[in-house]
Amino acid sequence: MLSTLSVLKWLHIVAMVYWLGGEWGVFQTAKNVVNRKLAMDERRRHMETAYRIDILARTGILLLFPIGWHMGYYWGVQPFGGAAITVMWVFFGLWLALCWSAFIARETDRGIALTLLDERIRYVVIPAMVIVAIASLLGYGPLNAGDGQKWYSFKILLFAGMLVIGLLLRFIMREWTAMFRILAEGPNQEVENRLEKSLRFGNKLAYTYWVGILSIAFLGATKPF
């Protein structure tokens, strides 16, 4: 029979695929964004493509936590069910709505303001995840981290690390938006150099990101400890 856990597993796989695949798509598209040999209109089209791919990756990221939190209750690695699960879904649903609102209003002052609000939420969520994961691994809770259960806390800790990298990549894309406004006014070698430097830094982050995403998937699939 179709169970809630089975549906959650399916949703988790879909969200993970969009996260990993989306980041690869943005990485490839970004190469054309900073290509000085291309006309500005074409570079802007690639920038638009990167944003459209990235929103799916961002959606996958935000969905993964409530899905994983919900599944964790069924697996007995987190003890908060009922209203706690509902609150988690509502919170991340509202956060996802904010993320999409920022995407729809991208390249406008309102879109940038919404993006900044989205980032500020992460400044609270990421430390909270780190504290919860480490405290649980040390045996203080609130998550269950006995024998065969530690993988869940490690997964949350690693997920928090990936959110940090994702935040840095978001800084890069927001910076691109500002720099493209300048380039729209005419050629600017200084801005072009900053774009290329930004891409080189983003490339290093992206490789780390992929390894981390695959590690999160491995922990969830194998539950090794």
Side-chain angles (χ1 to χ4, degrees), residues 14 57 106 130 223:
V14 172
R106 63 195 177 281
V130 171
K223 303 174 181 55

Side-chain angles (χ1 to χ4, degrees), residues 16-174:
M16 184 66 73
V17 167
Y18 274 107
W19 185 16
L20 182 59
E23 297 300 342
W24 175 257
V26 173
F27 175 75
Q28 294 300 322
T29 306
K31 295 179 180 179
N32 292 318
V33 172
V34 302
N35 189 346
R36 304 187 192 196
K37 297 179 181 179
L38 299 178
M40 182 54 62
D41 286 344
E42 186 172 356
R43 293 171 69 182
R44 291 184 69 86
R45 283 195 294 271
H46 284 295
M47 183 72 174
E48 175 67 13
T49 300
Y51 269 113
R52 290 181 177 272
I53 296 173
D54 187 56
I55 188 59
L56 294 179
R58 294 184 186 188
T59 299
I61 294 169
L62 291 183
L63 285 176
L64 278 170
F65 194 88
I67 293 171
W69 186 258
H70 201 153
M71 288 194 297
Y73 179 71
Y74 284 103
W75 283 322
V77 288
Q78 72 89 357
F80 307 103
I85 291 177
T86 301
V87 169
M88 191 66 70
W89 274 107
V90 170
F91 172 75
F92 276 89
L94 293 173
W95 190 0
L96 186 59
L98 171 63
C99 184
W100 270 88
S101 297
F103 165 72
I104 293 170
R106 63 195 177 281
E107 299 190 19
T108 67
D109 292 338
R110 178 174 179 271
I112 292 176
L114 291 173
T115 299
L116 289 172
L117 178 58
D118 183 7
E119 292 170 1
R120 292 190 183 104
I121 295 174
R122 296 166 193 265
Y123 297 152
V124 176
V125 172
I126 293 172
M129 292 174 64
V130 171
I131 292 171
V132 166
I134 292 177
S136 298
L137 288 170
L138 293 175
Y140 298 109
L143 306 178
N144 298 325
D147 292 338
Q149 296 177 316
K150 291 182 174 63
W151 64 271
Y152 190 76
S153 295
F154 269 108
K155 186 178 178 183
I156 290 179
L157 185 60
L158 188 56
F159 189 76
M162 295 306 98
L163 287 181
V164 172
I165 295 178
L167 191 58
L168 293 174
L169 292 172
R170 289 170 65 86
F171 291 161
I172 291 174
M173 290 197 72
R174 179 155 52 82

